[in-house]
Amino acid sequence: HGQSHPRRGESLHLLPAVPQGQGQRDGGQRDEVAGASRRPLARNRRAAMTPSVEFIHEPPPGFRFTLPADPALSPDGRMVACVVQDSSGTPKLAIRPLDRAEVRVLPGTDDASLPFWSPDGRSVGFFSEGKLRKFALDGTAPLVLADAADARGGSWSSSGTIVFVPTASGPAYTVPASGGNAVQVTTLDPERGEFGHRYPCLLQDESHFLYIAFGRNGKRWLCVGSIDAGPSRVLRETETASQRSVPGWILAVERRRV
């Protein structure tokens, strides 16, 4: 998510997204967050009880982690994508299966940052050299999808839409995962002094997404936007620049706690 700072030899902890024994109520939790939609936020009636996993994730020989390393877990929880740096200081995209200590540095991903996965786990979206790109794990060369001069995150829907932020000071956009015209979907609020919308994360209905609105005097707000450019909603003021959506829950890091 752009806020983790793993170093060589540091343990990476994978924990259940929903506390043990706290499955959702029958019928699923309603999308009260988005307001504009009454569709269920979660597809499953019960959250999966996933065991904790702890392991040491080290960069491959001749590389070190960038700071931040931007770790991103695949949708099936079996792989992690991150950014490593070679001896010349060039950031590159790398992936590793969680069941073995085998890190693969992906070719053609120089200057990579902020990776995020496709819903089927077969491709990774990322930013490099002023562009939004995607890399298919079958070995296809990376494909340029849109301009992104100073990117601040992306999220990929199963319908083939990517919501992303191309610059640090500006709104969020969507673009087809196959490439095409980028469309603005959020608007900066001058009354709050907003100057940037960052780190989008799609909700389970895939029609809405979380993002952080940055404002003057260090203020930040956790907001919900719509991929059809509908009105955004402020959920709360926040200290974090990172958040994630899991069925029925929003995860955020504040004051060094999840």
Side-chain angles (χ1 to χ4, degrees):
H1 50 65
Q3 301 302 311
S4 296
H5 300 262
R7 295 176 174 82
R8 185 176 182 86
E10 184 175 62
S11 296
L12 173 63
H13 299 258
L14 301 180
L15 303 173
V18 179
Q20 299 286 342
Q22 293 187 22
Q24 296 175 50
R25 294 191 296 267
D26 286 347
Q29 182 170 329
R30 295 290 174 177
D31 188 359
E32 301 295 345
V33 171
S37 172
R38 307 300 294 182
R39 296 173 59 189
L41 178 63
R43 292 193 182 98
N44 301 320
R45 290 175 179 243
R46 296 181 62 85
M49 296 295 103
T50 305
S52 300
V53 177
E54 181 177 340
F55 63 95
I56 295 177
H57 182 19
E58 294 192 352
F63 290 83
R64 60 186 177 87
F65 286 121
T66 62
L67 295 178
D70 297 331
L73 192 65
S74 64
D76 63 7
R78 296 180 178 181
M79 303 185 75
V80 63
C82 63
V83 180
V84 295
Q85 202 170 60
D86 65 16
S87 58
S88 69
T90 301
K92 298 175 183 287
L93 196 60
I95 59 171
R96 176 210 155 141
L98 298 190
D99 59 358
R100 59 187 184 275
E102 178 184 299
V103 183
R104 174 186 169 197
V105 179
L106 304 182
T109 61
D110 287 5
D111 194 40
S113 67
L114 296 166
F116 57 96
W117 289 86
S118 64
D120 62 10
R122 296 178 180 177
S123 300
V124 181
F126 66 102
F127 301 92
S128 97
E129 299 177 336
K131 304 289 184 181
L132 166 62
R133 306 171 189 262
K134 69 176 181 181
F135 186 101
L137 300 188
D138 63 8
T140 306
L143 178 67
V144 173
L145 303 179
D147 292 332
D150 188 17
R152 289 299 186 272
S155 189
W156 194 329
S157 78
S158 59
S159 63
T161 297
I162 293 174
V163 56
F164 73 109
V165 177
T167 63
S169 299
Y173 289 75
T174 58
V175 68
S178 57
N181 294 325
V183 177
Q184 181 177 334
V185 292
T186 63
T187 301
L188 301 178
D189 187 335
E191 292 186 7
R192 283 198 298 272
E194 292 180 2
F195 63 82
H197 294 165
R198 303 179 183 178
Y199 309 117
C201 176
L202 282 158
L203 292 169
Q204 272 60 51
D205 70 355
E206 296 196 329
S207 296
H208 300 87
F209 59 94
L210 300 172
Y211 67 90
I212 305 295
F214 282 67
R216 56 176 173 257
N217 300 321
K219 288 189 175 294
R220 301 173 182 177
W221 297 270
L222 177 61
C223 304
V224 176
S226 172
I227 63 170
D228 62 5
S232 294
R233 178 183 174 187
V234 176
L235 298 181
R236 55 174 293 191
E237 193 168 336
T238 183
E239 298 175 357
T240 188
S242 61
Q243 32 62 38
R244 281 293 177 268
S245 167
V246 296
W249 299 80
I250 295 173
L251 304 181
V253 178
E254 293 188 351
R255 299 178 183 177
R256 299 182 180 273
R257 294 187 177 184
V258 178

